[in-house]
């Protein structure tokens, strides 16, 4: 991934096609693999609160409250869409300046994010042959996986549930 490669890896929801979220060429390649218009937002995974804070000018208090409440419970993984994205590839940031981000708690993806020391793009996989590497962790698992909940938090405090 440090050289722009794309991988297929397990997350706390579904398997994802991942790359360095700060590398515009790698992000472009994920859009091409996914056969997805780059106006359709991708989700970033990070390993910690501190890493999440690196990618936004201002994280609203309500976002930290949600993050804390998700840590305390056994709730469904939740992706937050926050305004004021920074330090990410331009083609990853939506036209309104927002990006979807999730702090992963799944052991493999959390360790991957920690070791990579950057946000990692994560989307639902479709084309295994198009990636450079498929992680072996959890490959034999056959339990059903569901996508994360998605909540959009505006800087003005407005909250919108995108997906439950």
């Amino acid at each position: 991934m440090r050289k722009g490669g794309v991988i297929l890896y397990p997350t706390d929801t579904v398997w994802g096609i991942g790359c360095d979220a700060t590398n515009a060429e790698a992000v472009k390649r994920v859009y091409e693999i996914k056969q997805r218009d780059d106006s359709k937002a991708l989700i970033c995974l990070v390993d910690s609160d501190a890493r999440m804070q690196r990618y936004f000018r201002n994280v609203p208090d309500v976002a930290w409250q949600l993050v804390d409440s998700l840590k305390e419970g056994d709730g469904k993984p939740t992706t937050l869409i926050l305004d004021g994205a920074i330090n990410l590839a331009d083609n990853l940031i939506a036209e309104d300046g927002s990006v979807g981000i999730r702090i992963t708690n799944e052991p493999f993806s959390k360790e991957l994010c920690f070791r990579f020391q950057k946000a990692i793009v994560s989307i639902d996989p479709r084309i295994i042959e198009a990636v450079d590497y498929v992680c072996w962790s959890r490959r034999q698992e056959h339990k059903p996986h569901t996508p994360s909940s998605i909540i959009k938090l505006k800087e003005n405090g407005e909250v919108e549930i995108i997906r439950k």
Side-chain angles (χ1 to χ4, degrees), residues 81-133:
I81 300 174
L82 303 174
D83 292 334
I86 57 172
N87 301 322
L88 293 166
D90 288 341
N91 55 347
L92 185 62
I93 301 171
E95 288 180 12
D96 67 359
S98 68
V99 163
I101 197 159
R102 184 170 71 251
I103 300 172
T104 181
N105 287 315
E106 187 277 330
F108 181 86
S109 57
K110 189 171 189 79
E111 183 71 15
L112 179 65
C113 290
F114 173 76
R115 288 182 184 220
F116 191 59
Q117 298 287 300
K118 294 183 186 178
I120 299 174
V121 169
S122 179
I123 60 174
D124 183 28
R126 305 248 185 217
I127 308 171
I128 292 175
E129 294 79 25
V131 300
D132 298 309
Y133 182 76

Side-chain angles (χ1 to χ4, degrees), residues 26-161:
V27 170
K28 178 182 175 196
R29 192 158 160 233
V30 170
Y31 282 121
E32 290 169 353
I33 290 169
K34 185 67 179 164
Q35 298 178 344
R36 187 174 198 171
D37 183 349
D38 66 5
S39 67
K40 295 262 194 172
L42 302 176
I43 294 171
C44 294
L45 290 186
V46 293
D47 63 312
S48 67
D49 303 6
R51 188 123 25 241
M52 182 174 90
Q53 193 164 354
R54 292 181 188 178
Y55 299 109
F56 299 95
R57 279 191 300 275
N58 179 38
V59 178
D61 288 339
V62 68
W64 294 123
Q65 291 166 7
L66 273 169
V67 166
D68 288 343
S69 70
L70 293 168
K71 283 182 193 172
E72 292 171 8
D74 289 331
K76 182 177 183 180
T78 301
T79 299
L80 301 178
I81 300 174
L82 303 174
D83 292 334
I86 57 172
N87 301 322
L88 293 166
D90 288 341
N91 55 347
L92 185 62
I93 301 171
E95 288 180 12
D96 67 359
S98 68
V99 163
I101 197 159
R102 184 170 71 251
I103 300 172
T104 181
N105 287 315
E106 187 277 330
F108 181 86
S109 57
K110 189 171 189 79
E111 183 71 15
L112 179 65
C113 290
F114 173 76
R115 288 182 184 220
F116 191 59
Q117 298 287 300
K118 294 183 186 178
I120 299 174
V121 169
S122 179
I123 60 174
D124 183 28
R126 305 248 185 217
I127 308 171
I128 292 175
E129 294 79 25
V131 300
D132 298 309
Y133 182 76
V134 178
C135 296
W136 285 96
S137 178
R138 296 179 38 213
R139 256 191 171 181
Q140 304 306 317
E141 240 175 50
H142 295 291
K143 68 180 183 179
H145 297 281
T146 57
S148 67
S149 297
I150 300 177
I151 300 172
K152 183 167 182 143
L153 303 174
K154 297 269 194 171
E155 286 181 350
N156 67 5
E158 184 181 322
V159 177
E160 179 184 357
I161 306 295

